[in-house]
Amino acid sequence: MQWIDHILNLAAWILWINGSMGLMQPWKPQGGISLVGTLKALSSSRMNPAWFFILGVILILCFKILLLHYLGKPLASTVAVDFLLFPVFFKTGSLAHMTLMGVVTFIRFSFMGYLWLWFLRCLTTGKGMDPLHGMLDAVLGPLGQRKAWLQGVLLWLLGVMLWTLLGALLARLEILPGRDASSLLWQATLISSAAWMSLRWLIYGMLALYLVHSYVYLGGWEGWDWLDQGVERLLWPIKPLRLHWKRIDFTPMVAWPLYGLLFALISRWLTHQGVVAAL
């Protein structure tokens, strides 16, 4: 069930990105291509095509909710959703619970997706990256017009706000135990911080691709130039080691466990704080 949830969330998020980009850009109805279409006055209320993407998001979420409800009910009485520091259990037999779960997991997926896009945007600061900059800025929407450090702070604050609202809602529905405002805010701070730990998988993937690309020619796609520049920034602390053999750069093999250790230590501290906050 988790894989179904992830795949449908990805499909809905792609439609959401296209729809949100279309809504933020000025749009004017186009004239008809036939003689009658050119003579007939256009209605000012004609719908922006971006709304069809938003409608697609709603339809996918509705399909996901019904699918998880009818598939999960015979298999298990509850399904656990991992919120990074602790799981939240939803009743598969309750359509209301599955509706809440479907919306919440999509918001969680979208938030982490925007974190990944922001991180990729921060790595693309070299020459010749203007087209990619423009695309990522458009996807990030209003955040794309801010400085990189401010984007990160705003994303972190957004995560705090989302969990504060969600935690209060789940407590009201008796899915989670109730807690005072200060404890809820501290819990939201930890969960928003823990969301950044998902960047480890993006970093691992980039290091692996860089290692392969340093030896195997994978074509002249300009994305490989971006990958090289991005990984160079990730490797700068240990780049002086120069772990090369012929054309192969083995530096990522050293960086991998170092990044793993760093993320493990941070995750362990956040988990410990999350356990304490849950008491």
Side-chain angles (χ1 to χ4, degrees):
M1 291 181 62
Q2 296 292 338
W3 282 106
I4 295 175
D5 184 60
H6 292 327
I7 292 172
L8 293 178
N9 280 335
L10 176 60
W13 186 57
I14 292 173
L15 292 179
W16 169 259
I17 288 177
N18 284 275
S20 59
M21 289 173 60
L23 291 176
M24 286 184 292
Q25 296 175 355
W27 175 81
K28 294 181 180 180
Q30 297 181 355
I33 59 175
S34 65
L35 178 60
V36 176
T38 56
L39 294 176
K40 184 180 178 181
L42 289 172
S43 173
S44 59
S45 62
R46 182 172 293 184
M47 182 181 293
N48 188 328
W51 285 109
F52 290 103
F53 290 106
I54 305 301
L55 178 61
V57 174
I58 297 174
L59 292 176
I60 289 178
L61 291 181
C62 291
F63 173 73
K64 181 185 74 169
I65 291 167
L66 294 174
L67 186 63
L68 294 178
H69 173 59
Y70 288 106
L71 285 182
K73 187 177 180 179
L75 297 177
S77 59
T78 60
V79 59
V81 176
D82 182 18
F83 278 95
L84 307 172
L85 297 181
F86 54 84
V88 177
F89 294 91
F90 295 89
K91 298 178 182 178
T92 57
S94 171
L95 186 58
H97 272 230
M98 289 294 98
T99 301
L100 181 60
M101 172 189 161
V103 175
V104 165
T105 56
F106 174 69
I107 294 175
R108 182 195 60 174
F109 186 94
S110 300
F111 179 72
M112 291 187 178
Y114 279 113
L115 278 181
W116 282 34
L117 292 177
W118 168 81
F119 186 73
L120 293 176
R121 175 63 178 83
C122 292
L123 293 179
T124 57
T125 57
K127 296 181 179 179
M129 294 291 106
D130 290 340
L132 186 58
H133 283 180
M135 182 190 72
L136 292 175
D137 287 342
V139 172
L140 289 171
L143 283 177
Q145 309 303 320
R146 307 293 190 273
K147 293 184 178 180
W149 68 269
L150 183 56
Q151 293 175 10
V153 172
L154 292 175
L155 281 171
W156 180 79
L157 290 175
L158 177 62
V160 173
M161 182 190 70
L162 288 174
W163 180 257
T164 301
L165 296 175
L166 179 61
L169 176 61
L170 295 177
R172 186 177 183 84
L173 296 175
E174 298 182 351
I175 297 177
L176 288 179
R179 56 186 63 249
D180 59 86
S182 60
S183 298
L184 180 60
L185 185 60
W186 175 240
Q187 189 181 70
T189 301
L190 293 174
I191 290 179
S192 182
S193 302
W196 293 69
M197 297 300 98
S198 66
L199 292 175
R200 75 178 72 183
W201 307 114
L202 178 60
I203 292 175
Y204 294 161
M206 292 177 64
L207 292 176
L209 283 175
Y210 178 82
L211 180 62
V212 174
H213 184 242
S214 68
Y215 180 68
V216 181
Y217 178 72
L218 300 175
W221 180 45
E222 61 182 7
W224 299 124
D225 296 331
W226 166 83
L227 177 68
D228 292 341
Q229 293 184 21
V231 174
E232 288 288 338
R233 290 179 173 273
L234 293 175
L235 297 179
W236 70 265
I238 59 174
K239 201 62 178 177
L241 296 178
R242 298 184 179 277
L243 303 174
H244 291 75
W245 181 71
K246 296 184 177 179
R247 291 185 64 251
I248 307 178
D249 185 359
F250 289 100
T251 312
M253 299 183 67
V254 178
W256 190 304
L258 291 178
Y259 273 110
L261 177 62
L262 175 64
F263 279 114
L265 292 175
I266 297 175
S267 297
R268 184 176 180 179
W269 182 83
L270 288 172
T271 303
H272 173 72
Q273 295 299 319
V275 171
V276 173
L279 296 177

